Amino acid sequence: MKLGPGAAGKGGAAAAPSKACNLAGSALDLEAIRSDNKRELLELLDGVSGRKALVLDAVLGQRLNHVLSEGASSLRDHGVAYFRELRPELGTFDGEAPEHVVYLARCTVASMLTIAGHVKAALRRGEIGEASVDAPRAPKFHVFMVPRTTLLCKQILEDELVLPYVTIQAYHLDFVCFDKDVLSLECDHCFCDWNVHGDPTTLEFALAALLRLEQFFGAPRRIQAFGEAGKRPPPYLYDDYADTRERRDVDTLVILDRRVDLVTPMVTPLTYEGLIDELMGGVRNSCVRLDADVLGDVDERKEGEPPAKPGAETTVAYALNSNDALYAEVRDLNIEKLGVHLRTRAKEIKAIQEEFRANKDASITEIHDFVKRIPGLSQNYNSVKTHVNVTEVVNKTTHGHDFRGRWNLERQMLEGDAVYDEIEDRIAQQEPPMATLRLLCLQSLCGGGIKGQAKYDFLRREVLQTYGFELIGTLYQLEKAGLLSKAKEGTVATNLLLGGADGAGSFAQLRKALKLIVDDVDPHDPRDIAYVSSGYAPLSCRLVEVLAKSGFAGLVNVLPHLPAAPPLDYAPRDYTREDLKDAFDGGGGAKLGANPHKQTRPPPPDATTGLKPVMVVFFVGGVTYAEIAALRFLSKRDDFPFRVVVAATNVCNGSTLIKSLVYEIDNKLQREPAGREDPAQIDAPP
Amino acid sequence: MGWNISISEHVVCGAPFGGGLAVIRRCGSKDILAGGVQIYNTAGVQIATIPWGQKLPVGLGWTDDEKLLLVLDDGSTLLYDLLGSFIRTFLMLPSSINQKIVKVCVWGHGLAALTDQMVLQVCDDVGVAAPQVYQMATGLSSNRPAISMVVLNPRFTSSGLVEVILSTSDKSVIIVDSNGPEDQLLQGRIQAPIVDMAVAPNGRFLACFTATGILTVMSTSFTTKVLDFDTSTSVAPLQMDWCGEDSVILYWKHFLLLIGPYGHWLKFPYTRALHIIAEADCCRIITDLSCELLQRVPGAIEMIHRIGSTHSAAMLYDAMEAFEDGDAKANENMHSVNSAEQLNVAIEVNILAALAELEPTQQKRYLRAAIYGKAFCSNSVQDGCIVSAVRKMRVLNHMRRVDPGIFLTALQYEWLAPYALIDRLLARKQHQVALSMCQLLGIAQDKVLIHWACARLRESVAAPTLDEHLRDEIKVHLPTRDCALPYVRIAAAADLIGRRRLAIMLLRHETCATEQVKLLLSMREYDCALNQAVSSMEVDVIHLALLSIERALSSAGVAVDSFYSLIAVHKDASSLLHALYREYLLRGQHKHKLLHNLFMNPSLPIKFSEAGNLAIKIGYREASRTIRFERMREAIALYAQSRDSQFQAKQTEEHLDLLETQIEFEARYGVACFLDMSVTESIYNLIALGASQTSLGTTLQSDALRIQRRFRVPDRRFCHIKVKALAASGQWAQFHAFAVERRPLIGYRPFILALVNCNQPTSKVLKYVDRVQSVDERFSLLVEFKLWRPAIETASRLNDLEKFIQLQSSSCNDPQLRAEISQQLIRLGGF
């Protein structure tokens, strides 16, 4: 659903099926979060009485799909007459002017400046302010900041001299539920802010969101935190915090700083969902934009509806969640198994139809039975068709020479080989910059840095000379985020002594200790999480797996190679608030550090229901679809003692992660007019 | 009374609700004052003395929160608290007016003063730091003066504004509010000028005494007259006021006259001078010896004690008395209370009577009656009532003691509310009593504790104590856990008395980081504020500290360096400042200087790389070529200063060089397709230009080579670019020449790829495939580019089973070819 003026004007929003996942049957009562988010929004809107124009930050508009399961049109009942996207110009309104303009915006400087621009424009037109007696009735401005109001945003509105004309409130929208087991804050810049700039703002949002989770489901029995981000104290220690210790829905909370495992996002996933994300232009807010002719119900559209106007949008947002039963089945399958699986399902459906057609003298009841099954059947049929089409598109790439070459390259790097020449060659062939940078980063991460100053400089120069000098800041930021580095000189041992986990070869140690490379992966019957990329087990998920099964005792050899070791491991309910506060005050919770020599046993399943306890894995800095798949795989296994719910600051992949680290340069150079226009597009003469 | 004064020689003014008494001694008949202003409590215990000169104040009065207002005839007004501490002074008359104040009225928190020129000066709230005074025109003058004046509390007026009622010698009554005067035109309804007026406590009635001795009571809206009472005297009373809401009390020398609502009257002889203080439901009569309370007998007591009362409450009371005497009449009496409903009423009335009663012994009797009645009652509805009534009585009885001496009736207590009573206790420094009261009534104690601590601190000024001792003393008395006491207020008090060190010590106990930091900032303890903000780990608080400190220091003209060195030690603070300045980049052209200075400040680790990056970013934002070049040179200089950014320095230098070369090319070839391109793109364009500018072919080539050499482009990359460029620009002859020139460094695959991408015919593609020497390689290229027919041919020529298996699993879907592949497979025994 697109919340532009067009969609609202036609009322088309109402017709679109919900993009929100049905949350029934989730391990945690996620519906409670969703309905609370919804309640808060409606209360905020009802607090402003009269005709309203709702102006949405584009990113938030999509996020709202997951809050309002019946679509944004339901907001019309709460006085929203117009929908607008937050743009530099507010624009005019066709019908009766709204009494209020309500902004729903993330608390960023850019959106505040845009809003200030709107208010200033109204001031200039004399609609508000002192001399507003004769002027047309002006709307009142309200700003709802997501996920909370910040001093800085207020300061900006004040500096822009518009603060007296707006009312400010917070809309505490943090976690949105993408699926029964996936929660996301959709905060893409968290990793960059924290790791490159050291700005803890978004991290604070993330930890505050965890607190909200606790308010719903109680404090977890155990908290295990890896990485620097996990060592920041939860904000409730400093806040009025209603203790919720009687609820115990969450057994274990694992906080994983993305910095602990930067390798996994750089590796190309081979699950269906992961590949859709990588190859189909990216999954945003659990939706992907597909070409209209890929969709399964395309035939029916041709019969039933007038043909689409030429020039109309040819892509359609397609929701990817477990509402689509078939998708829930296939999304985590390895691409090699996918085709077989889809074929069987298609055959099954065909068979049912054939069976009925063959039965010429079916009784009335039989016909009735069949008709009853039709809605589900046709839905399944459409779904199978769509996924077969999508798979075909995906397969076109995955069967290609390039993709295989890339996989091989990644595998070589993961196993510890240096493939500088291949990377150099790919740069020379001007492969897309993100893809190349991703390989370069993976090489650096796996090999403990690029060996030798000369090589390092050479590769960086190749990048700059090929993709443009503008990347010079980006290279620096990648370096700062730990994705790219020069190998330290010296042996592994001395590096360990001197530089700790970032030393060369630490990935090699981890690979051995955690068996990250699995050679005999059978994609049709996987027995290890390594199936998600046909051979490499995501480090983060492997940590979770080992931790759940044998506690920190299983990680004795691993801990020294992780950054910001030792991880924290404590039972929050055993401490009073003051004790916890003291522990965090005194040096990042050192007292709460994990003891690798203590044996811990995983908790038993619930005696009455037989259900396993719940583990929430919170990725600070982004989670990949491969990791989600791997954790789902673990969750389903009998020998894994938890049901897993994945929470994250955002869903990412290698390219989006690198994109978030790009040093933005705004090129405004004026060129003198000349004969040729865009030099990069010099083509063959006709 | 605990005092030893004679009312006749003093001016007395009492605060409402049993509050303090201000007493001024007059020397004889002259308006000269002696011995200052004394403040007593209701029991005549002296609380304070305000030292005073000789000038008698023209008016004095108490505000609702027991602050004493003293007004001098020149308009200067002084405000004191109950303990005689000076609070503030302000002027009721602007200095430009040469008038004298003759009469003053105080209401709530407001003050109205009438001048000798009959101008009203009004202040609505004397409690604020800078009271605002405004003028109200009366339409009167010194020729037609007002003889009496009262104020109607804005609570009771329809407009919500204060109204002043004035009576004049020519029988008019004028109501003045901020909208101007309004004559009520009563000349026809009253016989003589009104000499005295009093407003009833409920604001509904006005009692007027006329010069001919008639007491008229009318509504304050002047629409209805309630009572006309002829006192048969033309002497005006010394004092006239209300006793409760329905009776008027008049004082002449030697007697008091109480006039009831229907003209009934009572006369009380008094030999000595007295002063009347009107209360909401009674009046206090202050004499030399005692403070008396005159009140209509409360309804509940009347019900029980009226002669011959047969009310169930009276029956219950009698039964209790009989029971205590061991008299069987008790049973009889109880029988006459026959229904449960009556019994409940009886109990209730007895509880009310106990509350209304002032004498503790009698209170107990009523309570005993209520409890006795409860024994006959099946339900225990009354339990709560009795408990809360007893609590109230305990509070009231305690208050009525000589110390603290706040004499309240139960009704007044209800109106005042416990919180206001606690405030009064705090104003008297009765912290212990206030605390006990909180405990008894279950009210939060924060306020009392904080007030105590602040008072303790102020006392400490007199007796110097160590900061540590004082802190410990305060801490011991305040609860530590489960209670977020606003320590910030104590700290603020400590700072106010000049004990900053103590203030900072106390602030450590504050739980709200924002408050903590705010106070520290207001104390200009920037270092400490920043410290606290950072350790709170709350971004908002750190921002608060940063923004305030930055603003304060820059307005004080302190160099930014000291600000930077302040934040240098705090990692979060400095990174947030960076983030802040980075966001400033979005907002203005010149804000980047801030960020640059921050990167380059020596008190922080100098960030040459980031400063260089910034310079480049700014350079790119410029539309002008020259400025960009300047910025880039600046960036080079910055990069060059750090060992870690030598690479960047070199690259930027090379890029500058490239830009210059590109400008040269653009001039030479007359096309604007070079500037701002990367090295690769430049080479590509040079080669591609060969298609259109054939005459310049050699120059283009040599330029391409020049760039390759200058920027050390590896041969392999150069080849890749060349192949792509030649193919894309359709220079097939050169393309072919390049392929055959010598065995290409990069193999033939890029050539084939380029051909396929340019949709060249298959035959042409195959020519290049044939150039590949290795058969296996050739085969895999054929498969990669989906050239199935030649692929099958190659495979069958080799009779290679492996290759057919590979073909079988490929994406080839031509049925004829697939059949062929299957045939071959069978032939070679693959199946």
Side-chain angles (χ1 to χ4, degrees):
Chain A
M1 166 176 45
K2 190 169 177 270
L3 283 173
K10 283 178 245 152
S18 173
K19 298 278 187 291
C21 179
N22 180 5
L23 297 174
S26 165
L28 291 172
D29 181 17
L30 298 184
E31 189 61 46
I33 297 184
R34 180 182 285 170
S35 58
D36 193 59
N37 284 341
K38 182 176 163 186
R39 178 195 55 76
E40 197 186 345
L41 177 63
L42 296 185
E43 276 177 13
L44 281 170
L45 286 175
D46 288 343
V48 178
S49 60
R51 287 162 59 80
K52 291 175 275 264
L54 185 65
V55 185
L56 288 164
D57 195 320
V59 181
L60 276 181
Q62 289 175 6
R63 219 185 291 178
L64 282 189
N65 287 334
H66 298 276
V67 175
L68 304 162
S69 38
E70 57 288 87
S73 57
S74 65
L75 292 181
R76 290 182 186 278
D77 302 338
H78 295 267
V80 178
Y82 301 97
F83 292 95
R84 285 281 193 281
E85 208 169 274
L86 185 61
R87 294 208 185 98
E89 290 296 321
L90 180 58
T92 51
F93 300 95
D94 319 330
E96 203 186 325
E99 295 163 52
H100 303 276
V101 178
V102 176
Y103 294 93
L104 207 55
R106 289 168 301 159
C107 49
T108 59
V109 177
S111 41
M112 289 307 126
L113 288 175
T114 315
I115 292 170
H118 291 184
V119 181
K120 277 183 184 165
L123 276 170
R124 269 197 301 278
R125 288 194 300 270
E127 287 179 358
I128 47 176
E130 288 78 19
S132 67
V133 191
D134 313 320
R137 239 175 72 227
K140 293 193 174 71
F141 293 94
H142 307 265
V143 182
F144 299 155
M145 293 188 198
V146 177
R148 63 181 177 80
T149 56
T150 61
L151 187 99
L152 199 58
C153 286
K154 276 190 204 158
Q155 187 68 43
I156 291 164
L157 292 179
E158 199 181 330
D159 291 349
E160 297 287 317
L161 308 173
V162 297
L163 193 60
Y165 309 105
V166 298
T167 57
I168 296 174
Q169 271 171 293
Y171 175 33
H172 300 95
L173 173 64
D174 41 29
F175 277 125
V176 286
C177 311
F178 282 164
D179 214 314
K180 295 181 199 333
D181 52 359
V182 182
L183 295 167
S184 168
L185 295 170
E186 285 306 276
C187 181
D188 293 343
H189 44 93
C190 182
F191 181 80
C192 179
D193 281 356
W194 171 236
N195 288 293
V196 177
H197 305 314
D199 176 358
T201 313
T202 42
L203 200 62
E204 194 177 298
F205 293 160
L207 292 170
L210 272 187
L211 167 66
R212 182 136 175 275
L213 221 52
E214 275 193 20
Q215 279 164 352
F216 279 108
F217 309 120
R221 185 183 61 88
R222 245 196 136 64
I223 294 180
Q224 293 161 335
F226 291 88
E228 206 56 61
K231 292 196 173 178
R232 280 184 83 89
Y236 59 77
L237 294 181
Y238 299 92
D239 227 339
D240 287 335
Y241 166 56
D243 214 325
T244 47
R245 291 178 191 219
E246 64 278 5
R247 278 196 80 147
R248 291 172 176 221
D249 294 359
V250 179
D251 183 85
T252 304
L253 169 67
V254 181
I255 302 175
L256 264 167
D257 190 339
R258 184 75 270 169
R259 189 94 190 220
V260 173
D261 173 17
L262 287 169
V263 172
T264 305
M266 299 301 138
V267 177
T268 312
L270 287 180
T271 63
Y272 183 40
E273 194 165 34
L275 283 168
I276 293 179
D277 183 34
E278 295 272 352
L279 304 175
M280 307 288 287
V283 178
R284 297 292 305 159
N285 290 290
S286 85
C287 276
V288 67
R289 295 205 76 83
L290 297 178
D291 286 339
D293 53 357
V294 171
L295 285 188
D297 54 356
V298 67
D299 303 337
E300 286 157 43
R301 176 166 305 184
K302 270 177 191 153
E303 289 160 30
E305 292 172 26
K309 285 176 212 131
E313 251 177 29
T314 50
T315 61
V316 180
Y318 188 79
L320 297 172
N321 57 42
S322 54
N323 286 0
D324 181 348
L326 178 68
Y327 182 66
E329 260 174 51
V330 299
R331 61 183 167 195
D332 298 331
L333 292 185
N334 187 297
I335 192 75
E336 280 189 50
K337 193 183 172 189
L338 181 66
V340 185
H341 193 96
L342 285 176
R343 220 170 297 138
T344 358
R345 290 304 301 261
K347 270 184 201 153
E348 274 167 31
I349 293 171
K350 260 263 145 38
I352 296 172
Q353 285 175 336
E354 296 285 312
E355 182 195 342
F356 180 73
R357 285 205 189 104
N359 193 355
K360 292 275 191 240
D361 38 40
S363 68
I364 296 291
T365 43
E366 277 173 314
I367 294 176
H368 257 292
D369 279 350
F370 181 72
V371 170
K372 261 189 224 158
R373 278 154 64 192
I374 282 178
L377 210 59
S378 68
Q379 197 198 336
N380 275 344
Y381 186 62
N382 285 338
S383 160
V384 168
K385 268 170 96 179
T386 306
H387 291 300
V388 166
N389 290 342
V390 173
T391 312
E392 253 171 39
V393 177
V394 169
N395 271 346
K396 243 179 234 164
T397 312
T398 56
H399 285 171
H401 179 269
D402 280 355
F403 190 85
R404 278 163 197 263
R406 191 182 168 87
W407 185 87
N408 280 326
L409 214 53
E410 282 176 9
R411 182 63 183 267
Q412 281 176 26
M413 291 193 260
L414 287 167
E415 286 180 356
D417 296 347
V419 291
Y420 301 133
D421 290 348
E422 282 82 352
I423 294 174
E424 188 196 326
D425 234 29
R426 281 172 180 258
I427 298 172
Q429 289 174 52
Q430 287 172 275
E431 293 213 346
M434 286 305 140
T436 326
L437 282 177
R438 200 167 152 173
L439 283 175
L440 191 59
C441 291
L442 185 64
Q443 175 67 72
S444 164
L445 288 165
C446 294
I450 308 287
K451 297 267 179 326
Q453 184 73 47
K455 198 73 186 170
Y456 187 43
D457 285 354
F458 171 72
L459 283 171
R460 284 193 291 171
R461 199 181 68 210
E462 290 289 290
V463 169
L464 290 183
Q465 287 192 354
T466 305
Y467 302 116
F469 177 71
E470 295 92 319
L471 284 175
I472 192 156
T474 306
L475 287 177
Y476 173 76
Q477 299 214 34
L478 288 174
E479 214 173 289
K480 226 176 154 192
L483 281 165
L484 195 61
S485 63
K486 179 170 78 86
K488 289 195 181 115
E489 273 127 51
T491 62
V492 174
T494 52
N495 278 330
L496 268 178
L497 277 175
L498 296 172
D502 286 337
S506 71
F507 181 75
Q509 304 289 333
L510 289 172
R511 184 180 64 226
K512 270 178 230 146
L514 289 169
K515 297 194 191 66
L516 294 182
I517 298 294
V518 181
D519 284 323
D520 52 343
V521 170
D522 178 5
H524 296 280
D525 180 24
R527 271 161 316 194
D528 188 276
I529 53 173
Y531 89 92
V532 296
S533 64
S534 295
Y536 164 71
L539 168 59
S540 53
C541 302
R542 186 68 102 204
L543 282 174
V544 171
E545 185 183 7
V546 175
L547 198 59
K549 283 183 183 162
S550 43
F552 278 97
L555 296 175
V556 179
N557 300 328
V558 176
L559 292 182
H561 303 290
L562 292 177
L568 302 191
D569 177 30
Y570 61 101
R573 294 195 199 126
D574 293 352
Y575 296 87
T576 63
R577 234 166 101 176
E578 280 73 20
D579 291 346
L580 271 185
K581 195 172 170 174
D582 290 346
F584 274 107
D585 274 350
K591 285 176 222 157
L592 307 171
N595 179 3
H597 303 295
K598 208 175 107 194
Q599 285 286 339
T600 42
R601 198 166 294 158
D606 189 291
T608 49
T609 57
L611 289 172
K612 296 187 284 188
V614 175
M615 170 191 263
V616 174
V617 185
F618 185 49
F619 286 85
V620 181
V623 64
T624 65
Y625 281 108
E627 283 166 321
I628 295 176
L631 289 172
R632 276 190 189 132
F633 175 80
L634 288 176
S635 185
K636 279 183 210 142
R637 282 175 67 135
D638 293 333
D639 57 348
F640 188 78
F642 294 101
R643 284 177 293 160
V644 179
V645 173
V646 181
T649 52
N650 57 315
V651 183
C652 70
N653 62 38
S655 307
T656 56
L657 189 68
I658 291 177
K659 257 182 215 152
S660 77
L661 294 168
V662 166
Y663 186 76
E664 273 176 39
I665 280 185
D666 184 12
N667 194 345
K668 286 198 183 137
L669 188 73
Q670 254 168 12
R671 23 184 68 262
E672 280 95 73
R676 283 263 166 67
E677 290 195 338
D678 194 346
Q681 284 176 351
I682 297 175
D683 280 329
Chain B
M1 288 304 251
W3 63 27
N4 184 19
I5 62 168
S6 156
I7 296 283
S8 55
E9 291 170 12
H10 290 78
V11 178
V12 179
C13 177
F17 292 104
L21 303 170
V23 176
I24 300 174
R25 181 152 179 232
R26 276 187 300 218
C27 277
S29 59
K30 276 178 273 169
D31 284 349
I32 289 178
L33 170 152
V37 180
Q38 314 282 336
I39 298 175
Y40 295 88
N41 72 9
T42 307
V45 176
Q46 185 165 11
I47 301 175
T49 304
I50 301 168
W52 196 258
Q54 296 235 307
K55 211 170 172 191
L56 189 70
V58 69
L60 71 167
W62 293 90
T63 64
D64 273 357
D65 50 357
E66 274 198 308
K67 303 256 162 62
L68 182 64
L69 272 167
L70 292 164
V71 185
L72 293 174
D73 61 357
D74 64 355
S76 32
T77 307
L78 296 104
L79 191 67
Y80 290 90
D81 73 5
L82 188 75
L83 298 177
S85 325
F86 172 77
I87 298 174
R88 75 177 63 88
T89 178
F90 60 97
L91 288 174
M92 279 304 277
L93 278 178
S95 47
S96 56
I97 295 187
N98 189 19
Q99 294 177 10
K100 296 240 175 282
I101 287 174
V102 289
K103 201 159 168 51
V104 164
C105 278
V106 176
W107 82 91
H109 294 278
L111 173 68
L114 187 70
T115 67
D116 54 355
Q117 300 294 318
M118 294 300 129
V119 172
L120 270 174
Q121 293 290 123
V122 181
C123 173
D124 279 332
D125 193 354
V126 299
V128 297
Q132 297 291 314
V133 180
Y134 59 95
Q135 202 175 59
M136 297 202 304
T138 60
L140 302 175
S141 66
S142 50
N143 301 331
R144 187 193 169 208
I147 26 183
S148 73
M149 158 166 127
V150 284
V151 167
L152 194 57
N153 195 313
R155 274 213 312 266
F156 305 128
T157 64
S158 54
S159 61
L161 299 167
V162 64
E163 291 180 0
V164 180
I165 305 171
L166 299 168
S167 70
T168 64
S169 49
D170 54 359
K171 296 198 284 186
S172 36
V173 172
I174 296 164
I175 294 185
V176 186
D177 64 12
S178 54
N179 298 323
E182 192 185 337
D183 197 323
Q184 296 301 309
L185 307 171
L186 293 179
Q187 285 86 345
R189 285 158 63 190
I190 50 172
Q191 272 78 42
I194 295 167
V195 292
D196 204 355
M197 294 189 287
V199 181
N202 60 7
R204 285 171 59 200
F205 302 109
L206 179 72
C208 310
F209 193 88
T210 63
T212 48
I214 304 214
L215 174 74
T216 304
V217 178
M218 52 185 128
S219 66
T220 43
S221 57
F222 296 96
T223 48
T224 47
K225 191 186 274 185
V226 180
L227 179 74
D228 255 341
F229 184 91
D230 192 350
T231 56
S232 344
T233 172
S234 57
V235 180
L238 293 169
Q239 204 184 350
M240 177 177 83
D241 224 322
W242 286 77
C243 173
E245 293 177 348
D246 54 2
S247 319
V248 180
I249 191 159
L250 298 110
Y251 169 48
W252 281 277
K253 204 170 184 184
H254 301 312
F255 70 93
L256 280 174
L257 185 68
L258 182 71
I259 299 166
Y262 304 108
H264 312 301
W265 54 270
L266 285 168
K267 192 173 167 184
F268 306 96
Y270 275 87
T271 50
R272 307 187 76 154
L274 58 80
H275 178 78
I276 303 168
I277 301 165
E279 295 280 3
D281 63 338
C282 63
C283 67
R284 278 187 288 158
I285 298 163
I286 313 288
T287 66
D288 295 354
L289 302 173
S290 64
C291 169
E292 294 170 12
L293 191 129
L294 181 64
Q295 171 188 40
R296 178 202 258 269
V297 176
I301 296 179
E302 193 192 351
M303 273 183 213
I304 295 166
H305 282 309
R306 202 177 56 220
I307 295 161
S309 170
T310 54
H311 191 273
S312 54
M315 290 299 145
L316 178 61
Y317 185 81
D318 286 349
M320 182 276 294
E321 287 200 313
F323 176 74
E324 290 196 338
D325 292 347
D327 191 336
K329 236 178 82 188
N331 198 25
E332 203 177 298
N333 279 336
M334 280 316 289
H335 272 298
S336 64
V337 185
N338 36 29
S339 74
E341 199 184 323
Q342 269 188 357
L343 184 60
N344 274 333
V345 171
I347 294 169
E348 211 171 293
V349 170
N350 271 291
I351 294 170
L352 287 176
L355 273 171
E357 179 57 53
L358 302 175
E359 183 55 50
T361 345
Q362 187 58 33
Q363 285 170 354
K364 282 182 197 158
R365 297 183 75 81
Y366 291 127
L367 278 179
R368 277 211 296 280
I371 291 160
Y372 179 69
K374 225 171 66 72
F376 294 87
C377 204
S378 52
N379 59 2
S380 53
V381 182
Q382 318 288 2
D383 277 3
C385 289
I386 295 180
V387 171
S388 72
V390 169
R391 283 196 180 137
K392 245 181 248 173
M393 276 145 62
R394 284 187 65 183
V395 171
L396 286 172
N397 288 339
H398 191 98
M399 294 301 145
R400 286 168 192 161
R401 288 186 191 172
V402 173
D403 184 25
I406 302 173
F407 204 98
L408 292 171
T409 63
L411 211 56
Q412 287 168 16
Y413 173 72
E414 292 289 318
W415 281 330
L416 197 60
Y419 298 101
L421 185 53
I422 286 172
D423 283 346
R424 291 192 156 204
L425 288 170
L426 295 182
R428 285 168 168 76
K429 292 202 183 166
Q430 299 275 3
H431 295 108
Q432 195 56 52
V433 181
L435 200 61
S436 312
M437 191 177 148
C438 287
Q439 280 159 358
L440 181 70
L441 300 178
I443 299 173
Q445 304 169 11
D446 292 17
K447 197 175 175 184
V448 179
L449 294 171
I450 298 291
H451 193 276
W452 168 80
C454 295
R456 175 74 192 85
L457 284 173
R458 276 191 293 273
E459 276 165 23
S460 71
V461 180
T465 11
L466 269 178
D467 286 344
E468 281 79 3
H469 290 171
L470 210 50
R471 180 198 57 189
D472 294 343
E473 189 192 330
I474 287 169
K475 261 195 76 184
V476 164
H477 287 89
L478 303 185
T480 47
R481 293 223 160 190
D482 309 320
C483 178
L485 264 186
Y487 267 91
V488 63
R489 303 212 344 240
I490 308 177
D495 186 46
L496 216 59
I497 59 165
R499 305 191 73 153
R500 176 147 297 178
R501 187 162 162 266
L502 177 65
I504 292 169
M505 277 184 201
L506 285 167
L507 256 187
R508 298 227 171 94
H509 301 287
E510 171 64 48
T511 45
C512 172
T514 319
E515 293 296 326
Q516 218 172 17
V517 171
K518 268 187 191 159
L519 182 64
L520 285 169
L521 288 171
S522 73
M523 298 188 330
R524 293 165 182 271
E525 291 288 334
Y526 299 131
D527 199 15
C528 200
L530 203 59
N531 238 324
Q532 286 293 346
V534 170
S535 65
S536 80
M537 289 198 152
E538 284 178 49
V539 172
D540 257 13
V541 181
I542 303 175
H543 271 143
L544 172 74
L546 285 176
L547 290 171
S548 321
I549 297 173
E550 191 196 17
R551 205 172 309 152
L553 287 184
S554 69
S555 68
V558 180
V560 279
D561 285 2
S562 68
F563 175 48
Y564 293 151
S565 55
L566 194 60
I567 64 159
V569 275
H570 304 293
K571 186 168 158 281
D572 270 357
S574 55
S575 43
L576 274 173
L577 190 70
H578 279 115
L580 189 66
Y581 284 175
R582 212 169 24 250
E583 280 165 351
Y584 278 170
L585 287 181
L586 288 173
R587 297 172 57 187
Q589 280 294 325
H590 302 291
K591 294 274 191 183
H592 66 262
K593 290 258 163 48
L594 283 173
L595 189 57
H596 174 83
N597 292 343
L598 189 55
F599 284 140
M600 295 304 292
N601 195 277
S603 45
L604 297 160
I606 301 181
K607 297 177 172 173
F608 290 109
S609 308
E610 306 218 8
N613 288 346
L614 177 68
I616 286 174
K617 185 181 203 144
I618 300 300
Y620 268 86
R621 254 183 10 187
E622 292 293 343
S624 137
R625 208 181 271 182
T626 34
I627 300 183
R628 177 185 288 196
F629 278 32
E630 240 168 65
R631 292 267 176 256
M632 298 206 33
R633 280 192 204 101
E634 205 176 285
I636 296 171
L638 289 167
Y639 285 138
Q641 290 176 61
S642 161
R643 222 168 58 110
D644 296 335
S645 51
Q646 288 306 314
F647 169 76
Q648 280 99 320
K650 190 131 198 299
Q651 288 308 306
T652 317
E653 227 165 279
E654 281 187 8
H655 187 67
L656 257 180
D657 203 347
L658 177 67
L659 285 173
E660 270 154 19
T661 322
Q662 285 170 337
I663 293 170
E664 184 193 318
F665 287 165
E666 291 200 351
R668 183 175 306 156
Y669 302 113
V671 284
C673 66
F674 289 107
L675 192 64
D676 225 13
M677 293 290 124
S678 70
V679 172
T680 297
E681 284 160 339
S682 301
I683 298 174
Y684 179 99
N685 284 349
L686 281 170
I687 296 170
L689 267 181
S692 55
Q693 309 203 354
T694 37
S695 54
L696 292 169
T698 41
T699 347
L700 283 167
Q701 248 174 30
S702 69
D703 274 341
L705 287 171
R706 204 180 103 201
I707 290 203
Q708 186 198 2
R709 270 198 309 280
R710 168 66 186 89
F711 299 104
R712 285 170 291 150
V713 176
D715 285 339
R716 289 174 64 85
R717 177 144 64 94
F718 190 80
C719 290
H720 276 292
I721 301 167
K722 193 166 175 182
V723 169
K724 267 195 190 172
L726 288 174
S729 59
Q731 304 181 56
W732 295 116
Q734 286 87 337
F735 184 85
H736 185 73
F738 184 47
V740 298
E741 202 173 43
R742 65 178 108 93
R743 208 179 116 65
L745 202 59
I746 49 173
Y748 288 101
R749 190 175 165 272
F751 288 86
I752 299 165
L753 187 65
L755 287 166
V756 171
N757 283 345
C758 292
N759 297 321
Q760 292 299 304
T762 318
S763 56
K764 202 166 170 188
V765 175
L766 283 174
K767 260 193 239 160
Y768 287 87
V769 177
D770 289 340
R771 291 184 160 272
V772 178
Q773 280 180 347
S774 147
V775 174
D776 289 339
E777 216 175 292
R778 217 154 52 215
F779 176 76
S780 66
L781 281 170
L782 289 171
V783 172
E784 186 190 337
F785 294 106
K786 301 192 170 56
L787 302 165
W788 306 120
R789 168 63 55 199
I792 292 170
E793 280 164 12
T794 315
S796 44
R797 213 175 306 136
L798 291 169
N799 282 336
D800 190 333
L801 179 60
E802 283 286 312
K803 291 202 161 50
F804 278 110
I805 293 174
Q806 203 182 332
L807 280 170
Q808 168 83 359
S809 66
S810 73
S811 58
C812 167
N813 44 14
D814 184 320
Q816 199 193 329
L817 291 178
R818 285 212 83 91
E820 220 169 290
I821 294 165
S822 310
Q823 263 179 18
Q824 293 286 356
L825 270 172
I826 294 161
R827 185 176 67 83
L828 292 167
F831 278 87

